[in-house]
Amino acid sequence: MRTERMVAALAVREAADAVARGEGPTGTARAETVLGALEALLPCCGAAVERWDPVAGRHETLAAAGYGDEALAAMELAFHEDPLFPVVRDSGRPLRVRDIAPADRRGPMFDQVITPARFADGVSLCLSAGGRYVGSVHASTAAESVDDEVAGLLRLLSADLTGLVDPLDGLPLAAPVPAGVGVLCWRPDGGPPVALTAEARPELVAPGSPLAALLTPTAWPSRLGRHLLVIRGAELLAVEARPAGRWMVVEHRVVSPPSGLSRRELDVLAALPAGATNRMIARALGVTERTVATHVEHLLTKLGVGNRAGAAAVAVEAGLVRLAPGGGR
């Protein structure tokens, strides 16, 4: 048994190391690796790998065996509301049923998972990366068989398990995030962006988006420590990006237009760096050339510049980008 446990632990560590190098298992294969390790570490009647969805505010089952639908639903929808959840999450250590005083054995996990199935023991471990909660793993047994060695191995493997469960490969991120700020992670070399807050707008970095082009590895260094102004529909967003390993962390928030510019004046200003004429801008915005000329006159006054070239320079310096309604050009 000890040899089997060590083999399982080494398999997890090797898989996590490969993921950190940009290799190794991908997608559901990562969760299956974690599930296989749980089943090898102890004789499970049920095992599950759960990923936290910060936007939906619930867990998602990545892989499971032995648990019924009601038990999995409880893990997905109620584990984070269980009175013992903060204990498991904040300690960073595995919590076994045997470690919980009988008087404290209550809440959704006991009421909907452990007690109905008459599990004698079990263990839960929350996974975090730099204070960012990623997900959890659970295993239940028919006998009191979650011994100290299993608990110790799970604790030692916590970072490796996190890297396999987390879509960001266990990347630590600064926290907390201020209210009203959208945060997403994006890999310029491919793959969908990962929303980390409910306010996140993944479409900002959709393929072909002008913003995505500005955040490529060759372009973003010129914007380091500075923000971009992105016109998206009726909103103006201040967008900041910073590198984090293979990822770009993109933060955005709604801001007021600079220099007292109106929403339409911003649209006109964004078109000037490309050398667009009044006729071209009028056609794009669905207004008359006279209206565009008036907007240009007003924005020149508000910006304190003497001509279109000066206004275009201001737009470039501010990183002003206009996105089409769908997020692309």
Side-chain angles (χ1 to χ4, degrees), residues 49 85 107 125 170 184 195 212 307-308:
V49 182
F85 173 69
L125 174 66
L184 59 94
N307 51 44
R308 297 166 75 98

Side-chain angles (χ1 to χ4, degrees), residues 225-240:
R226 303 160 61 193
H227 66 250
L228 301 167
L229 289 178
V230 178
I231 303 170
R232 177 184 177 274
E235 295 180 326
L236 179 65
L237 304 175
V239 179
E240 298 181 30

Side-chain angles (χ1 to χ4, degrees), residues 279-299:
R279 176 174 296 183
M280 295 167 62
I281 298 173
R283 186 178 303 156
L285 299 181
V287 297
T288 66
E289 290 185 52
R290 182 180 295 275
T291 297
V292 173
T294 300
H295 287 318
V296 171
E297 180 180 347
H298 289 170
L299 69 86

Side-chain angles (χ1 to χ4, degrees), residues 39-251:
E39 294 176 320
L41 289 175
L42 67 161
C44 302
C45 293
V49 182
E50 303 286 331
R51 175 184 292 162
W52 175 249
D53 184 336
V55 176
R58 54 168 288 173
H59 289 84
E60 171 194 7
T61 300
L62 300 182
Y67 288 123
D69 292 341
E70 291 185 3
L72 291 176
M75 293 177 191
E76 293 177 349
L77 303 175
F79 176 54
H80 60 287
E81 297 178 348
D82 193 288
L84 291 172
F85 173 69
V87 178
V88 189
R89 181 196 59 199
D90 298 341
S91 71
R93 300 182 179 184
L95 180 66
R96 299 174 293 186
V97 170
R98 67 169 70 180
D99 298 324
I100 304 169
D104 295 328
R105 296 179 184 180
R106 53 186 173 79
M109 295 298 285
F110 275 97
D111 297 343
Q112 301 177 46
V113 181
I114 299 172
T115 301
R118 298 183 180 179
F119 292 130
D121 201 2
V123 61
S124 293
L125 174 66
C126 286
L127 308 174
S128 298
R132 177 175 56 88
Y133 178 59
V134 168
S136 57
V137 294
H138 307 270
S140 299
T141 67
E144 294 187 3
S145 54
V146 186
D147 57 33
D148 292 341
E149 182 180 64
V150 169
L153 284 172
L154 286 174
R155 185 178 180 187
L156 287 173
L157 293 171
S158 178
D160 300 309
L161 295 170
T162 299
L164 292 172
V165 172
D166 183 16
L168 303 183
D169 311 328
L171 179 71
L173 298 176
V177 177
V181 175
V183 183
L184 59 94
C185 275
W186 173 66
R187 285 183 58 174
D189 60 352
V194 178
L196 299 180
T197 66
E199 296 85 355
R201 318 284 176 73
E203 67 273 13
L204 291 175
V205 291
S209 163
L211 181 59
L214 289 172
L215 298 181
T216 59
T218 55
W220 73 260
S222 64
R223 307 303 309 182
L224 188 61
R226 303 160 61 193
H227 66 250
L228 301 167
L229 289 178
V230 178
I231 303 170
R232 177 184 177 274
E235 295 180 326
L236 179 65
L237 304 175
V239 179
E240 298 181 30
R242 64 180 185 276
R246 291 172 292 160
W247 296 84
M248 293 292 292
V249 180
V250 182
E251 299 183 1

